Amino acid sequence: MAFNSYSYLVALLCVVVCYWLIPTAWRKWFLLLCGAAFYASWSPYYIALPGLVGALAWWCARGMLADQARLRFWMRLVIVSALLLLAYFKYSAFLWRTLAGSATQVPAWLAVAMPLGISFYVFEVIGFLVDVKQKRVKAPALADVCSLTMFWPCLTSGPILRFRELVPQLNAARRFDLATAVNGIDRLMTGLVQKNFIANSLGSIVAEGFLPKAAAANSTLDNWAMAVAYGLQVYFDFAGYTNMAIGSARLLGLTLPENFRFPYHAANPSDFWSRWHMSLSRWIRDYLFFPINARYQGAPLPLYASLIGIMALVGLWHGAGWGFVAWGAMHGAYLVLYRVWERVCTGRPGWAEAWLARWGWRVLTLAAVTLAWVPFRAVSLDQSLRMLGSMIAGFDLRLSYNVNSYLVIALAALLCAVEPLLDALQKRLGEPTGAAAALRFWVWRPLAWACALLLFLIFDDRDAQFIYFQF
Amino acid sequence: MKPAATLIAALALSLATLAGFLHGNPFQSAGHALDWLFGAPPAWTQVEHTVQSAEFQEISRGERPLGSLRQLEAGWQRRTGARRVVLIGNSQMLSVSLAAGEPPPQGPEPTYSDLLSRELAARSRNPVLCYRLAAPGMSYTEALWYVLYLSGRPHLRPDAVAIQLNYQSFWNGGVRAGMQELLADEDFRARVEQEAQGQEAYAESFREALAEYRQRSTRVAAGPKPSSPGDALESHVRQVAAQWPPLSRKYAHRDGLLETLYRARVYVLGLKPTTARSITGPRMRRSQASLEAIARLCRAQGTALILFQAPLNPQVDLYRTAEDKSRHEEFLARLQQISGSPLLDWERSIPAPQWGKWMNGPDPLHLSRAGHRSMADRMIRAIDDALRLNAPGSGHGI
């Protein structure tokens, strides 16, 4: 049941109505049940998996809290188990092909379908255990831990939640709040339009432009256009999903962490990662990068190497393929480059503040992020190298596709460019009062929702899945 | 009002507005407003009510051709002895754009394919059965798709295939979803799979089409046994939603929106259908490879191939540079060599007064009433010539 399906919208309406009608004490259990039903709607065979991972984490957390002497043992036990589970489902076939050769048939016991959302709830569970170790979480209940792994808005593609930001909200008694619910519907509608209208429109252009034979014949300009188009498609697709997840949760009175903050407006590579897939960046920062940073403080080379290694692993987390690793490693290299620049600028504040440096980094970041999307989307490393070669060293400005394709890309880019302006304008105008508020609520908002639903319906494509579902 | 009731009322208002949108046609109205604003000719000059005849045309215009082709097969099976010709082209074969001085249509307007089909079928001696396989924005990969299908059905094999060649169509690519339903024919599917494994530039488009078809048919074939419970629920909800009449028009609304965006492109950005262009790259290669495959297939099977350069409004030049034109001509020369058929160059055959106006400029592609008549006469002569060359006894088509 994808968020942009008819059945999801009907089911969400029923769930929201029931949720607010039942007694507060039942709500947590009701959401757990909904999570199970949502997961079963995708795959009844793996329904127990997120619950089992949650139960295992709860059992180990209890062990950690009860047996401080063997705390590390308990934590490692569950982290290794969760990672092994992830490795089996997600990477075994990839490892087999890498070691035995791509032409070799993968044995049936390794070629299993990946359970939906496993990458996300495994990370949530690891984060939970680190929080238990660091005493940020005290005496968790089994139902609470399972609520984390089975919370349906985030089950398939995040945002990656922390136990301490979700469970207290689930356990608190809340009343229905109109402003929160309206905001939830706003987010839901925004997500529907981002996915069905924008991302799907870009999807067909990207699909053609990245076909291996087509890509081989693309001009420099075509390759840049396709890379930009894919960057925009991923952004609107994933931001659309996230908006729908956040909107669904808001309708239940729950607040989820944001995942995007105008990423293509980043001032530098480091800033990009504080704006792109923020819940993943936060997880990496807190549970991987901070410990490593603390370990290698004062030793830049090992730190830089580990930074590239971490980002390559982040790439691998996205998918079992060398293209994903290359994407991660490229981002690692960008981050290292920026760190070196920061080091060079230490003691020279004028350099870092110079207009040229600031805008130079902004433009370089945008170009570098766009280049990195090529291996992420290309069918093979060979294709990536060919496209990247043309983008960096070529100068062929022919247009090979219908002019409408370039216009769609340009329109999506323009929309992305003005997003912060629209946001700032909205904040500046503030919430209207009196007649203006009534006009906004009873005229503009229903009109906007109706327009969003119309775009959702007329650009509906049942076959177009969310890109991040495969991760 | 209580908060929940307020929200329900706002939602109800939104749904009512949505129903209003679906019931009306807001995008088409916006398109008409743009036309009025930028001085487009009256809407009736773009004739929408054209002749519809399942006997002479694939009436779904590429959206559901299987039914049309099955009907044609049954019809042609009954008419033994008559020669058969298939015309393949784009909207030039489907549309009429009335020129200045031509009166509004009084009934369904015929295009040149209708005129020649009627006249050739009505001949008392040596009748010829003509059939139009045209779709808006048809790509040459789609033309190959059709020719492959025809070649695999004994009762559909034509004696001659007429292919409309126009420069701007080399920019089109892929096989539209509607045409993929032909893959239901197992022999055709096997043939497409074989082509998809090949190294030709169109092979990727065939692979894509096969993948899309498989994805869709898996769900359709699953029927009562869907791939997941969520899938079953979704199918059920969609079935219920489909009962609501305004929703069945959602694709018309999408077309309306895209048409309006196209008009905005033409009026505001000045990127017109008459803007000269350089066509290169993967789509060009795919189109060329598809046409070469058609030529080879027809030649190998003894089918006459009528290659004609489609008429172009003399007020328009679509080649951006002289090099574009010479490159295109080089390809056409190569195509003639492969097919062994002469090229009929009709690019400048229809004089300027026989063309209509489209939006705020000359119509580059769609013929007027007089233009269609003139084109029908030309095509009848070409068909007669081709069928004389490919006289009975030399084998029955592809």
Side-chain angles (χ1 to χ4, degrees):
Chain A
M1 209 194 292
F3 283 175
N4 62 333
S5 65
Y6 292 12
S7 49
Y8 177 75
L9 296 182
V10 173
L12 179 67
L13 185 70
C14 299
V15 166
V16 170
V17 170
C18 292
Y19 179 83
W20 290 110
L21 287 178
I22 59 175
T24 308
W26 296 4
R27 285 180 186 161
K28 186 168 74 181
W29 298 97
F30 176 66
L31 286 186
L32 206 53
L33 195 71
C34 289
F38 180 76
Y39 204 81
S41 80
W42 288 99
S43 164
Y45 304 112
Y46 290 136
I47 186 172
L49 210 55
L52 271 177
V53 170
L56 182 71
W58 168 78
W59 181 63
C60 285
R62 264 179 37 132
M64 286 163 74
L65 292 169
D67 185 2
Q68 291 288 320
R70 299 182 68 200
L71 186 138
R72 278 176 184 275
F73 162 78
W74 286 109
M75 193 173 83
R76 281 176 185 164
L77 176 75
V78 77
I79 290 178
V80 169
S81 311
L83 288 177
L84 278 176
L85 199 69
L86 183 65
Y88 171 68
F89 282 112
K90 195 164 175 175
Y91 302 108
S92 52
F94 168 67
L95 275 174
W96 178 274
R97 279 196 207 99
T98 304
L99 297 173
S102 55
T104 324
Q105 181 80 30
V106 179
W109 62 276
L110 285 181
V112 284
M114 190 177 78
L116 199 68
I118 189 167
S119 311
F120 293 89
Y121 57 74
V122 160
F123 268 31
E124 283 173 348
V125 156
I126 293 172
F128 160 70
L129 288 169
V130 175
D131 283 355
V132 170
K133 179 181 170 249
Q134 293 174 348
K135 300 194 169 44
R136 289 191 186 121
V137 173
K138 288 177 186 116
L142 174 63
D144 289 340
V145 184
C146 289
S147 293
L148 175 73
T149 55
M150 303 222 21
F151 183 59
W152 101 82
C154 305
L155 190 54
T156 52
S157 302
I160 299 168
L161 294 175
R162 283 172 169 159
F163 182 87
R164 57 198 147 106
E165 68 194 353
L166 178 71
V167 173
Q169 290 190 75
L170 292 177
N171 288 328
R174 283 182 316 280
R175 290 173 68 89
F176 180 81
D177 175 53
L178 181 62
T180 310
V182 165
N183 181 257
I185 297 176
D186 282 348
R187 297 293 293 261
L188 198 67
M189 296 296 166
T190 307
L192 287 174
V193 173
Q194 284 178 318
K195 168 63 185 161
N196 274 26
F197 184 45
I198 309 173
N200 288 359
S201 303
L202 289 163
S204 54
I205 297 168
V206 169
E208 188 186 355
F210 273 87
L211 284 173
K213 274 195 198 308
N218 280 348
S219 67
T220 307
L221 198 62
D222 295 332
N223 281 326
W224 273 103
M226 290 307 152
V228 168
Y230 184 61
L232 291 167
Q233 187 201 354
V234 177
Y235 169 60
F236 283 113
D237 191 282
F238 196 19
Y241 167 85
T242 306
N243 272 322
M244 284 184 254
I246 292 174
S248 301
R250 288 263 163 98
L251 284 169
L252 305 170
L254 304 167
T255 302
L256 300 184
E258 294 292 339
N259 241 357
F260 294 95
R261 191 168 49 86
F262 319 124
Y264 293 125
H265 289 262
N268 53 58
S270 175
D271 188 32
F272 175 80
W273 280 98
S274 66
R275 292 162 175 265
W276 178 271
H277 203 170
M278 289 151 73
S279 62
L280 175 69
S281 311
R282 184 181 68 173
W283 193 96
I284 294 160
R285 185 196 62 199
D286 291 357
Y287 303 123
L288 278 177
F289 190 69
F290 279 172
I292 286 174
N293 203 22
R295 188 171 175 182
Y296 292 123
Q297 213 151 33
L301 282 182
L303 182 69
Y304 296 160
S306 57
L307 192 55
I308 294 177
I310 288 171
M311 291 310 288
L313 280 175
V314 169
L316 193 64
W317 174 84
H318 279 83
W322 291 112
F324 295 110
V325 177
W327 171 81
M330 282 170 86
H331 274 281
Y334 302 156
L335 289 169
V336 167
L337 208 65
Y338 185 67
R339 288 221 156 200
V340 171
W341 165 254
E342 281 186 321
R343 222 178 147 82
V344 168
C345 289
T346 314
R348 300 180 183 97
W351 284 28
E353 290 305 312
W355 179 90
L356 187 67
R358 282 189 292 119
W359 279 97
W361 271 111
R362 211 170 262 275
V363 173
L364 270 177
T365 303
L366 193 58
V369 167
T370 305
L371 284 171
W373 285 124
V374 173
F376 198 86
R377 175 61 176 80
V379 176
S380 63
L381 278 181
D382 186 45
Q383 185 191 345
S384 308
L385 288 174
R386 202 188 294 244
M387 289 179 77
L388 288 172
S390 151
M391 289 165 78
I392 296 165
F395 193 73
D396 179 358
L397 299 181
R398 288 170 303 141
L399 298 179
S400 307
Y401 299 89
N402 195 305
V403 71
N404 291 341
S405 305
Y406 302 97
L407 284 176
V408 169
I409 298 168
L411 273 177
L414 183 70
L415 196 66
C416 196
V418 300
E419 267 187 324
L421 291 176
L422 295 176
D423 187 62
L425 189 72
Q426 203 176 12
K427 279 183 186 143
R428 196 167 176 171
L429 289 174
E431 274 300 311
T433 50
L439 187 75
R440 183 166 171 180
F441 190 84
W442 293 111
V443 178
W444 294 119
R445 190 156 258 137
L447 197 64
W449 289 352
C451 288
L453 281 173
L454 184 66
L455 288 175
F456 157 69
L457 286 173
I458 67 178
F459 285 91
D460 164 48
D461 177 3
R462 205 177 159 184
D463 294 327
Q465 281 210 341
F466 286 98
I467 294 174
Y468 262 66
F469 273 22
Q470 59 187 298
F471 307 144
Chain B
M1 216 189 300
K2 281 188 170 180
T6 309
L7 186 69
I8 291 167
L11 275 173
L13 201 56
S14 306
L15 290 176
T17 313
L18 174 68
F21 283 157
L22 285 169
H23 197 263
N25 205 338
F27 299 121
Q28 203 178 40
S29 308
H32 288 156
L34 279 174
D35 282 344
W36 175 80
L37 207 64
F38 287 89
W44 58 261
T45 60
Q46 305 301 311
V47 183
E48 285 183 0
H49 188 200
T50 52
V51 168
Q52 295 282 300
S53 161
E55 193 185 347
F56 302 131
Q57 307 161 349
E58 191 286 287
I59 48 173
S60 78
R61 301 181 170 196
E63 294 308 316
R64 292 198 72 107
L66 190 58
S68 295
L69 288 169
R70 284 191 175 148
Q71 203 177 336
L72 175 72
E73 199 168 0
W76 277 9
Q77 220 168 336
R78 285 194 296 270
R79 296 280 302 267
T80 49
R83 318 291 311 271
R84 301 152 180 184
V85 177
V86 168
L87 304 149
I88 299 178
N90 63 12
S91 58
Q92 190 173 63
M93 285 188 186
L94 307 167
S95 316
V96 182
S97 172
L98 294 174
E102 286 185 324
Q106 298 299 313
E109 194 71 33
T111 64
Y112 76 83
S113 71
D114 303 316
L115 295 168
L116 70 91
S117 298
R118 279 184 199 157
E119 289 169 29
L120 289 173
R123 279 179 180 170
S124 53
R125 282 188 61 207
N126 301 326
V128 177
L129 303 177
C130 290
Y131 194 75
R132 181 182 84 194
L133 280 172
M138 167 104 85
S139 71
Y140 291 117
T141 308
E142 290 172 332
L144 173 62
W145 188 263
Y146 272 147
V147 173
L148 281 174
Y149 183 80
L150 299 175
S151 72
R153 313 286 303 178
H155 295 292
L156 280 180
R157 284 180 192 168
D159 297 285
V161 173
I163 301 270
Q164 178 200 328
L165 300 168
N166 52 338
Y167 180 60
Q168 69 268 48
S169 288
F170 282 77
W171 221 341
N172 299 335
V175 178
R176 70 194 70 197
M179 288 190 192
Q180 290 164 14
E181 69 169 9
L182 297 183
L183 290 168
D185 180 312
E186 277 183 28
D187 293 339
F188 176 64
R189 193 166 64 242
R191 186 72 192 272
V192 170
E193 276 165 357
Q194 190 189 338
E195 292 288 337
Q197 298 303 315
Q199 293 301 311
E200 295 291 348
Y202 55 78
E204 277 180 338
S205 296
F206 278 23
R207 279 202 288 276
E208 287 282 291
L210 278 166
E212 283 172 26
Y213 173 76
R214 283 193 192 112
Q215 195 177 15
R216 251 195 320 276
S217 54
T218 305
R219 186 184 310 118
V220 173
K225 201 181 146 211
S227 58
S228 68
D231 205 26
L233 183 64
E234 180 66 11
S235 297
H236 180 70
V237 174
R238 279 173 186 266
Q239 269 170 17
V240 173
Q243 309 293 315
W244 190 40
L247 208 58
S248 62
R249 293 179 56 218
K250 64 179 188 173
Y251 294 116
H253 287 284
R254 186 180 62 188
D255 293 345
L257 172 61
L258 296 177
E259 184 68 30
T260 303
L261 288 173
Y262 177 74
R263 280 165 200 273
R265 185 198 101 174
V266 172
Y267 291 135
V268 182
L269 299 180
L271 290 168
K272 301 179 180 191
T274 53
T275 305
R277 62 205 69 182
S278 291
I279 304 178
T280 54
R283 281 193 173 185
M284 175 64 126
R285 289 190 189 186
R286 225 175 282 156
S287 297
Q288 291 179 341
S290 304
L291 282 168
E292 287 169 2
I294 291 173
R296 277 194 293 271
L297 186 64
C298 288
R299 189 166 195 177
Q301 310 269 342
T303 299
L305 187 61
I306 303 169
L307 295 169
F308 67 99
Q309 274 263 65
L312 184 71
N313 192 328
Q315 293 166 279
V316 172
D317 188 6
L318 291 181
Y319 307 101
R320 201 169 67 84
T321 63
E323 198 196 343
D324 292 330
K325 190 167 180 9
S326 66
R327 215 174 20 227
H328 183 59
E329 284 169 350
E330 271 169 34
F331 169 71
L332 294 179
R334 195 166 77 234
L335 192 61
Q336 286 180 74
Q337 220 169 29
I338 295 170
S339 66
S341 311
L343 175 76
L344 304 168
D345 189 356
W346 295 336
E347 200 171 49
R348 298 294 179 201
S349 62
I350 309 284
Q354 289 185 15
W355 291 87
K357 198 178 161 201
W358 195 28
M359 292 197 251
N360 58 350
D363 194 320
L365 184 68
H366 307 108
L367 301 163
S368 65
R369 196 177 283 146
H372 275 290
R373 180 64 261 173
S374 161
M375 188 63 188
D377 296 338
R378 254 186 205 90
M379 187 57 90
I380 288 172
R381 283 196 296 277
I383 288 172
D384 282 341
D385 288 346
L387 293 180
R388 262 197 292 279
L389 287 172
N390 190 40
S394 64
H396 207 357
I398 40 181

